[in-house]
């Protein structure tokens, strides 16, 4: 190895060691914690749908590890139902981390039939989210989800990890939320359910984002 290559290798090792040391030091620091969101501010009636709160068992809450949760089923006059789930994590720790649906659904007996990205018009701005179709052998569901950190909509797990890493390096709060919508797909009803899902998500999402937005001085600045 020539002298230039050796110097570059040493520089890379030093930088990586410095980043590791800095990241470890952040774990020993007490970062300012943002005020928790008021999930109850999300309206119970949206676009012809009326909600009822759903029960989450203590065991499920323990496994989830979220600091706050919201589980609702929104139903329209025709009986069409769309479920909304939000999990808020004040800090990403070993026993309190956002669980990816791509891991949770297979663990609960659901196979992921297809997945991809979906573009949503939220408050006049285009936002990306993930779209899954899952099946347990008897039923199929359409799932739309994304993550949220500091008023940012984050479309996938990779982007979430990136934002968590950069937040840690910049000594910023790592509070994050998981937002998921789901609906059963009747036989032959794929497009009908999808169109209704997109319309509902676009209607309610500005209020969801508003509820999750950091309050003044909560960003650690």
């Amino acid at each position: 190895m020539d002298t230039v290559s050796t110097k570059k290798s040493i520089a890379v090792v030093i930088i990586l060691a410095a980043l590791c040391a800095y990241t470890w030091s952040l774990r020993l620091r007490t970062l300012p914690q943002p005020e928790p969101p008021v999930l109850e501010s999300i309206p119970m009636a949206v676009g012809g749908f009326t909600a009822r709160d759903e029960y989450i068992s203590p065991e499920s809450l323990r496994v989830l590890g979220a600091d706050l949760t919201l589980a609702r089923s929104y139903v329209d006059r025709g009986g069409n139902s769309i479920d909304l789930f939000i999990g808020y994590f004040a800090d990403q720790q070993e026993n309190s981390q956002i669980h990816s649906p791509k891991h949770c659904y297979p663990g609960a007996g659901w196979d992921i039939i297809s997945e991809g990205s979906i573009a949503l018009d939220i408050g006049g701005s285009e936002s990306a989210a993930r779209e899954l179709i899952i099946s347990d052998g008897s039923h199929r569901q359409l799932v739309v989800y994304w993550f949220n950190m500091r008023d940012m909509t984050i479309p996938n797990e990779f982007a979430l990890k990136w934002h968590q890493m950069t937040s840690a390096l910049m000594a910023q709060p790592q509070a994050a939320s998981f937002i998921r919508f789901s609906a059963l797909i009747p036989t032959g009803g794929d497009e009908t359910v999808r169109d209704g899902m997109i319309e509902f998500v676009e209607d309610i999402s500005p209020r969801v984002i508003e509820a999750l937005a950091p309050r003044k001085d909560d960003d650690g600045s």
Side-chain angles (χ1 to χ4, degrees):
M1 183 180 292
D2 59 38
T3 304
V4 175
S5 298
T6 301
K7 289 182 178 179
K8 287 183 178 180
S9 298
I10 293 173
V12 169
V13 170
I14 292 174
I15 291 172
L16 291 175
L19 287 174
C20 289
Y22 180 58
T23 303
W24 178 258
S25 71
L26 291 178
R27 297 180 64 177
L28 304 178
R29 295 169 55 184
T30 301
L31 297 178
Q33 292 297 320
E35 289 292 323
V38 182
L39 299 181
E40 292 76 14
S41 66
I42 298 170
M44 297 287 285
V46 176
F49 285 78
T50 303
R52 62 174 183 269
D53 289 318
E54 298 291 341
Y55 172 75
I56 305 177
S57 70
E59 176 61 18
S60 296
L61 290 173
R62 184 191 66 78
V63 172
L64 179 65
D67 294 282
L68 291 174
T69 59
L70 178 77
R72 287 179 180 170
S73 181
Y74 285 82
V75 183
D76 68 8
R77 292 182 179 179
N80 301 303
S81 177
I82 297 176
D83 294 336
L84 167 62
F85 175 82
I86 299 175
Y88 170 78
F89 298 76
D91 195 13
Q92 297 292 291
Q93 300 296 334
E94 182 177 352
N95 296 319
S96 178
Q97 295 184 355
I98 292 179
H99 297 231
S100 169
K102 292 193 291 185
H103 298 148
C104 294
Y105 279 124
W110 292 84
D111 294 322
I112 297 176
I113 304 303
S114 67
E115 64 175 294
S117 297
I118 183 172
L120 300 170
D121 181 350
I122 300 179
S125 299
E126 184 175 298
S127 296
R130 296 299 292 172
E131 178 184 50
L132 305 177
I133 293 180
I134 61 175
S135 173
D136 66 353
S138 300
H139 305 91
R140 291 185 303 151
Q141 285 193 35
L142 172 65
V143 179
V144 172
Y145 72 92
W146 69 86
F147 308 96
N148 183 282
M149 282 186 73
R150 297 195 310 279
D151 209 18
M152 297 182 295
T153 56
I154 301 173
N156 56 57
E157 291 79 1
F158 178 81
L160 175 65
K161 290 298 182 183
W162 171 258
H163 284 290
Q164 289 173 336
M165 182 185 70
T166 55
S167 294
L169 291 175
M170 296 174 67
Q172 294 177 328
Q174 296 190 60
S177 300
F178 167 61
I179 301 96
R180 182 193 69 205
F181 298 86
S182 58
L184 284 172
I185 304 175
T187 302
D190 300 51
E191 291 304 317
T192 300
V193 171
R194 189 175 188 273
D195 291 344
M197 171 78 82
I198 291 174
E199 182 178 358
F200 176 79
V201 170
E202 292 181 340
D203 281 345
I204 197 173
S205 289
R207 298 299 300 273
V208 172
I209 293 171
E210 179 183 343
L212 294 172
R215 303 181 199 178
K216 187 176 181 180
D217 298 329
D218 278 355
D219 59 358
S221 60

